[in-house]
Each structure stands twice: as C-alpha cells, then as structure tokens.
C-alpha cells in the first residue's frame, strides 16, 4: 500500500500545511507549493524511493491556507463559526 493510502485510512488528507501572511509571503508560499507538488517528478526521486521501499513515490498533498480552505466571514459581535469550509 502506498504511503498516501496509509495516511488516508487514518483520516489525514494532506502531507503538509503551508501557512503564510498574505503580504508579503503569498508569493513565496505559492512557489514552495509548486516546488513540492512536483517533487516526485524530479530526476531520480522515483527510482531511489522505489529502490528503498519497493513502491512509487506518490505526489505530496499540500494544504495552503487561504487557498485550500477559507474561514466564512462573520460579524465580530456574533459567536465564532463552528466550521471551516473546504473546497
């Protein structure tokens, strides 16, 4: 079973979380996400991982705040929302 299938069975759907301040860090956060999204495609990564584990290296799944989920807007005088909406 691949590493991501093992994790999914435990209810975890992301391998890493990227959090950032909108200004000035949104650009570097996007670059980190893009770099890690394609990590398994780098030359030699699949071969070395397969030699070590006998399995393919599945793509990393990253959660970036403000992109992979948002907090619903609410009136500050109201109670805090009970859910985060994912999309």
């Amino acid at each position: 079973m691949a590493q991501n299938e093992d994790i999914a069975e435990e209810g975890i759907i992301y391998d890493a979380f990227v959090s950032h301040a909108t200004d000035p860090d949104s650009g570097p956060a996007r670059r980190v996400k893009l770099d890690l999204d394609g990590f398994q495609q780098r030359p030699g990564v699949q071969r070395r991982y397969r030699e070590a584990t006998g399995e393919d290296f599945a793509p990393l799944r990253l959660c970036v705040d403000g992109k992979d989920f948002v907090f619903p807007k609410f009136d500050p005088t109201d109670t805090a929302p009970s859910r985060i909406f994912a999309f």
Side-chain angles (χ1 to χ4, degrees):
M1 191 177 297
Q3 79 263 14
N4 287 345
E5 291 171 1
D6 293 335
I7 292 169
E9 288 177 8
E10 297 172 15
I12 300 170
I13 60 171
Y14 294 106
D15 298 307
F17 180 74
V18 179
S19 180
H20 61 88
T22 301
D23 184 32
D25 300 327
S26 60
R30 278 194 304 272
R31 287 190 295 277
V32 166
K33 180 175 176 21
L34 288 172
D35 191 41
L36 291 177
D37 279 344
F39 180 77
Q40 80 284 354
Q41 297 173 356
R42 289 182 177 185
V45 169
Q46 282 291 351
R47 179 184 48 78
R48 288 181 292 200
Y49 188 80
R50 196 175 301 115
E51 288 171 357
T53 67
E55 299 177 354
D56 286 339
F57 189 96
L60 294 171
R61 295 165 303 171
L62 303 173
C63 177
V64 178
D65 64 348
K67 180 171 174 57
D68 294 312
F69 67 88
V70 293
F71 289 100
K73 295 183 184 201
F74 68 98
D75 184 335
T77 61
D78 290 342
T79 58
S82 59
R83 294 188 283 176
I84 296 174
F85 294 92
F87 52 93

